[in-house]
Amino acid sequence: MAKIETKVRRDAGFEKRAEHWRERLADLRRQEETLRLGGGEKAQAKQRAKGKMTARERVAALCDDGTPFLELGLWVAHGCYEEYGGAPSAGVVVGIGTIAGREAVVVANDATVKAGAWFPLTCKKVLRAQEIALENRLPVVYLVDSAGVFLPMQDEIFPDRDHFGRAFYNNARLSAAGIYQMAAIMGPCVAGGAYLPIMSDESHIVEGTGSIFLAGAHLVKAAIGEVIDNQELGGALVHCDVSGVVDHRHPDDASCIAKMRSQFAQLAEPPQARFARREPRAPLHPADDLYGLLPEDGSRPYEAREILARLLDGSELDEYKANYGRTLVCGTGWIEGWAVGIVANQRSIVDRRTGTGAADKELQIGGVIYSDSADKGARFVELCNQKGIPLLFVQDVTGFMVGSRAERGGIIKDGAKMVNAVANSVVPKITLFIGNSFGAGNYAMCGKAYGARFLYAWPSARISVMGGDQASKTLAAIQLKNRGADVSEEEKQALLDDIRASYAAASDPRYAAARLWVDAIIDPAATRQVLARSLACAAHQTELGEFRTGVLQT
């Protein structure tokens, strides 16, 4: 394999860029510490006073000491539901944890956030966790402590296909697929939410704090006039010793979690997909370089191979069609010993001026997908499926090329070919957003709609239908045309500034993460470890199916 030669100069510009992204990352991490407090320190103290651990304390006790918890969806609901006081992390902790040496999806309600009630984005986040478990055949642990549906928003949570009931539908499908689910009832588990732990394969309950019933004491009194308290109605003694609904009861959170860990240790070893493996090797260049490689301005060019040299084992890339379709870098390499196919947007300007023909006398704009790069990307995706190599898409794309020359050259046809190949790909796909993700380029490079197993963003990511400058000029032109000629230059500029600011806010990676367009905003320097963990999870799915594409125009 060819080693990627670096041409990076650690000059003043490099250091300025590195400082910019370090400061940006530090700011994000400060905000994340606040998100991890859930409903706040006072709410956490109240929960501990009841003899209960907090959601994150439960997750930490469940996972093996010294193993990292890969949290997913930390930013979900950020900036949403402000009229109700907000819902940090949508009131639920989700991620990949190592339990008794086994990778598992963990879902833990945070009762400090509106008593663990489900908001619309809580539902979306739990369904995403179950989707990850189903796609990657990972066992699931639910740590339940929830008041059920957030009633003021019940019409956005309860009746539709991907609403509250879909979680129990997924319970049934996971169990039928032989994917183990374990639940612990560590607080209230009310109404329809009672089905989630009981449709799991094995259930636990904590005495004195855990309770499960279809209707709580207040509703029972209103409905049939019976006066009873919640523990007598549906506590641990009732459901373990009388109804037999729950399998195990425990005196406190700690003993419950200890028993769950011991049972996890008895799980059979999972089969693994036969993806190529070898001994991991560190890149030749330090991961910290990544901070200095990315420009502060997302429109500025840089060399994509310099990024890959900090991600791939030995900084080695076996490039595919290096001199064809050069605004897309494709090739195979290794990440922490896992074979992987890379599809990365090239952000440097590509000079095709060979002087041998009119078709070759042009500069190609970095980050744009041209017909030749779309053709190359489609063929490479097909090749990786043929060879059984997982795919990593590294997105910094401004879209497909536009204009009369591109249209007459069939850019839509070639773009559709790439989209078709990505949509039908059966090998695991992981998407990393490191810069722009605009328009149909988002689709061709395996955005959320295209079935990536995991999606991660760097602080530099920007996701929207087009860039803010293009959007502001397009929308302003339409609006000004409708207003007529009586518009001052000041009004025109104000309109442009408003649209540009709106697009900047909506394309921020926090906005995307709040809506689960990406699973996490990650530190660029930790990217290799996150990707390796994701590839290891993906390897639990051994049956990939047959790769076929739909009808393609040639």
Side-chain angles (χ1 to χ4, degrees):
M1 274 191 169
K3 288 182 169 53
I4 302 171
E5 294 185 10
T6 184
K7 297 179 182 178
V8 171
R9 293 187 303 166
R10 290 169 179 77
D11 54 14
F14 180 95
E15 295 301 334
K16 182 174 179 291
R17 292 189 296 271
E19 184 62 23
H20 170 83
W21 292 118
R22 284 194 179 97
E23 288 179 0
R24 171 76 166 145
L25 185 65
D27 181 53
L28 290 172
R29 292 299 176 254
R30 283 191 292 269
Q31 294 177 58
E32 288 176 351
E33 286 305 309
T34 301
L35 291 175
R36 288 190 177 92
L37 291 174
E41 293 178 349
K42 288 184 179 178
Q44 290 184 349
K46 286 178 65 176
Q47 182 153 331
R48 294 188 188 103
K50 297 175 183 177
K52 298 164 66 175
M53 294 178 176
T54 67
R56 293 181 185 281
E57 289 168 346
R58 288 166 176 165
V59 171
L62 181 68
C63 295
D64 296 351
D65 289 341
T67 60
F69 180 65
L70 177 54
E71 184 160 1
L72 306 175
L74 175 60
W75 286 91
V76 171
H78 174 67
C80 305
Y81 313 128
E82 296 302 318
E83 66 273 32
Y84 300 112
S89 291
V92 61
V93 179
V94 165
I96 307 294
T98 306
I99 307 171
R102 286 289 303 274
E103 297 283 56
V105 174
V106 180
V107 179
N109 298 115
D110 186 348
T112 69
V113 179
K114 298 290 188 294
W118 285 45
F119 287 78
L121 282 167
T122 313
C123 190
K124 186 174 182 180
K125 185 172 175 178
V126 172
L127 295 185
R128 174 62 178 150
Q130 292 178 320
E131 178 183 49
I132 288 170
L134 190 59
E135 287 183 334
N136 299 287
R137 295 194 62 84
L138 296 175
V140 191
V141 176
Y142 306 99
L143 304 177
V144 185
D145 192 346
S146 172
V149 166
F150 185 65
L151 292 178
M153 302 188 75
Q154 63 85 24
D155 59 324
E156 298 180 49
I157 306 168
F158 171 68
D160 209 347
R161 195 198 81 154
D162 289 322
H163 282 180
F164 195 54
R166 193 71 175 187
F168 320 133
Y169 172 90
N170 287 343
N171 273 143
R173 291 181 64 226
L174 283 158
S175 186
I179 300 169
Y180 179 65
Q181 299 171 92
M182 178 187 286
I185 302 156
M186 312 182 91
C189 191
V190 184
Y195 287 103
L196 188 143
I198 303 311
M199 291 188 72
S200 297
D201 300 306
E202 197 162 7
S203 59
H204 300 253
I205 190 168
V206 177
E207 297 170 8
T209 56
S211 56
I212 180 169
F213 32 67
L214 292 181
H218 293 296
L219 182 55
V220 166
K221 182 178 180 181
I224 63 173
E226 182 182 2
V227 178
I228 192 169
D229 68 33
N230 283 339
Q231 282 298 311
E232 190 178 359
L233 178 66
L237 287 172
V238 171
H239 282 311
C240 272
D241 298 12
V242 179
S243 73
V245 166
V246 180
D247 302 315
H248 313 277
R249 62 181 171 93
H250 311 277
D252 52 39
D253 284 7
S255 58
C256 177
I257 289 170
K259 175 57 75 174
M260 295 170 79
R261 282 184 48 78
S262 71
Q263 290 177 334
F264 242 78
Q266 298 171 338
L267 292 183
E269 286 292 324
Q272 294 281 305
R274 295 171 60 187
F275 301 133
R277 295 293 309 276
R278 73 175 192 185
E279 284 297 313
R281 284 192 281 168
L284 299 180
H285 314 290
D288 284 357
D289 280 359
L290 293 168
Y291 302 128
L293 291 173
L294 281 176
E296 300 168 55
D297 179 352
S299 65
R300 301 292 297 171
Y302 63 89
E303 172 56 58
R305 293 175 186 84
E306 295 283 6
I307 302 292
L308 300 180
R310 277 83 185 163
L311 300 180
L312 297 174
D313 288 12
S315 300
E316 294 176 338
L317 178 67
D318 189 2
E319 197 162 347
Y320 175 75
K321 293 191 175 184
N323 295 313
Y324 174 74
R326 291 168 62 191
T327 62
L328 206 63
V329 176
C330 299
T332 52
W334 306 81
I335 293 178
E336 290 288 349
W338 291 96
V340 64
I342 305 289
V343 183
N345 299 114
Q346 174 60 287
R347 284 308 311 270
S348 65
I349 295 172
V350 175
D351 191 347
R352 298 180 64 217
R353 296 177 295 184
T354 64
T356 59
D360 292 325
K361 294 179 179 178
E362 65 172 318
L363 291 173
Q364 289 192 336
I365 302 167
V368 177
I369 301 176
Y370 290 78
S371 284
D372 55 357
S373 45
D375 174 65
K376 170 179 165 178
R379 287 179 58 83
F380 182 72
V381 168
E382 290 178 315
L383 187 59
C384 285
N385 276 272
Q386 184 81 340
K387 296 165 75 174
I389 303 175
L391 284 160
L392 170 64
F393 293 83
V394 183
Q395 280 209 26
D396 192 346
V397 58
T398 53
F400 286 90
M401 190 57 189
V402 297
S404 61
R405 180 173 178 174
E407 297 293 357
R408 292 176 183 181
I411 185 64
I412 297 174
K413 171 192 67 178
D414 292 315
K417 189 188 306 181
M418 183 174 177
V419 167
N420 199 318
V422 172
N424 285 293
S425 176
V426 297
V427 295
K429 296 173 290 190
I430 299 171
T431 303
L432 176 65
F433 298 88
I434 69 172
N436 302 316
S437 178
F438 297 159
N442 171 282
Y443 303 156
M445 292 294 292
C446 200
K448 182 64 184 287
Y450 283 77
R453 299 282 187 97
F454 299 93
L455 303 100
Y456 302 108
W458 284 359
S460 48
R462 298 188 303 169
I463 303 173
S464 65
V465 72
M466 65 177 71
D469 287 339
Q470 298 95 320
S472 60
K473 291 173 183 176
T474 302
L475 290 172
I478 294 169
Q479 293 184 33
L480 290 171
K481 181 180 178 181
N482 293 335
R483 292 188 193 182
D486 297 330
V487 181
S488 68
E489 288 302 317
E490 290 78 9
E491 289 175 308
K492 290 180 182 179
Q493 190 59 50
L495 180 60
L496 279 169
D497 292 343
D498 285 347
I499 297 171
R500 192 176 289 116
S502 173
Y503 260 76
S507 61
D508 188 289
R510 293 170 297 183
Y511 191 95
R515 289 152 182 81
L516 266 173
W517 302 346
V518 299
D519 294 313
I521 302 172
I522 64 173
D523 181 348
T527 301
R528 268 174 55 81
Q529 289 71 36
V530 172
L531 294 177
R533 187 93 178 267
S534 303
L535 288 165
C537 289
H540 286 69
Q541 172 60 279
T542 57
E543 298 297 325
L544 299 179
E546 181 185 359
F547 174 68
R548 297 177 61 186
T549 58
V551 176
L552 301 176
Q553 291 190 6
T554 57

